[in-house]
Amino acid sequence: MERLDKILANTGRWSRKEARELIRAGRVSVDGVTARAPEDKADPAAVFTVDGENISGEKQVYLMLHKPAGLVSATEDPRQPTVLELLPEHLRRVGLFPAGRLDKDTEGLLLLTNDGPLAHRLLSPRHHVDKTYFVRVDGALDREDAEAFAAGMTLADGLACLPAGLELLDTPDTAIVTLREGKYHQIKRMLAARGKPVVYLKRLTMGPLSLDPALEKGEWRPLTAEELAAIRSV
Ligand code: URA
């Protein structure tokens, strides 16, 4: 048996606070009986409705995660901890995967979903979904680096990169990089090729999604209805 507000929040559709409000407003029923107290316990296998809609079989989940360094963007790994380990047990069993990987030492915005077609659209360069990253390098970035990014770099190993953005910031070792694709270690490889190796990398945005500044590293929340509508219209 689990608390009702927790069961609702575990669907990934509402925060714990939103779940409590729904329950107190009498909008939630458990096996056909209206619930009133968020702290009441229920069997997670019961039939839950919100405003009459059966949510027990809810399949699609969309979570925004502030990825910390030290975890791999995978659903399982024999040796290293994965980002899924940040989620409660229940949410590890609904088929979530990271839509777009970040390296183990990269931080920032990661979308976890079990909606394969949507993830595919967000990641395909054809759909022009820009991702932006804050980057710090060992060295000083300049206009020539920005021009090389804008022209589309071809790396020594043959990797041809699409034109990318590099916006210089006030401190010369930092910049905002914008990519339309996500090849393996792409930013690190592009900047290594410029002789300015990356020392810190954080993803800030992915298309219409921005990392919620209220999320601490390692924290996550369901996407809001507005965020979901925005990524669905990509
Ligand atoms: N580019 C990288 O090199 N690493 C990331 O994690 C993302 C983009």
Side-chain angles (χ1 to χ4, degrees):
M1 302 286 272
E2 276 184 16
R3 279 178 63 114
L4 215 41
D5 53 355
K6 186 163 179 228
I7 295 174
L8 250 60
N10 278 349
T11 64
R13 290 181 65 174
W14 300 280
S15 67
R16 197 75 177 248
K17 180 162 173 274
E18 288 166 340
R20 282 198 285 273
E21 284 165 8
L22 287 171
I23 296 162
R24 290 206 188 93
R27 294 165 62 184
V28 177
S29 80
V30 184
D31 286 337
V33 179
T34 302
R36 295 280 174 193
E39 60 279 8
D40 279 358
K41 300 267 172 76
D43 179 352
V47 174
F48 298 90
T49 67
V50 174
D51 295 334
E53 180 198 351
N54 184 341
I55 58 149
S56 311
E58 181 62 29
K59 286 282 173 353
Q60 292 181 326
V61 177
Y62 305 86
L63 307 177
M64 174 187 293
L65 170 71
H66 186 164
K67 181 192 175 297
L71 301 176
V72 293
S73 299
T75 52
E76 45 190 286
D77 190 283
R79 283 174 303 275
Q80 312 189 78
T82 75
V83 289
L84 285 196
E85 289 168 35
L86 295 168
L87 303 179
E89 194 55 41
H90 168 83
L91 277 177
R92 292 193 217 164
R93 284 184 263 112
V94 297
L96 294 176
F97 59 89
R101 288 167 179 244
L102 294 177
D103 296 337
K104 186 175 173 190
D105 58 355
T106 300
E107 299 179 351
L109 174 63
L110 196 63
L111 173 66
L112 296 171
T113 183
N114 50 6
D115 183 342
L118 180 105
H120 179 76
R121 272 208 311 285
L122 287 175
L123 299 176
S124 153
R126 276 197 302 126
H127 287 88
H128 301 278
V129 179
D130 285 346
K131 291 110 192 154
T132 63
Y133 300 79
F134 171 83
V135 61
R136 175 172 289 120
V137 298
D138 183 5
L141 296 160
D142 55 31
R143 289 182 58 101
E144 281 179 28
D145 297 316
E147 282 161 16
F149 268 53
M153 294 174 63
T154 300
L155 305 184
D157 58 14
L159 178 74
C161 304
L162 290 174
L166 188 141
E167 182 196 334
L168 303 171
L169 298 176
D170 286 342
T171 34
D173 60 344
T174 61
I176 302 292
V177 169
T178 305
L179 288 188
R180 183 156 289 181
E181 54 187 345
K183 305 245 170 71
Y184 184 63
H185 289 338
Q186 184 160 353
I187 296 177
K188 290 177 184 160
R189 287 158 77 191
M190 290 170 81
L191 285 164
R194 302 290 309 162
K196 298 168 188 178
V198 169
V199 295
Y200 175 77
L201 190 60
K202 177 180 183 179
R203 180 153 61 195
L204 305 175
T205 68
M206 190 170 172
L209 279 189
S210 294
L211 180 63
D212 184 339
L215 288 179
E216 300 287 342
K217 285 178 210 174
E219 288 185 342
W220 59 275
R221 65 158 173 78
L223 294 193
T224 64
E226 294 75 31
E227 287 167 338
L228 192 50
I231 58 165
R232 280 189 167 141
S233 65
V234 153

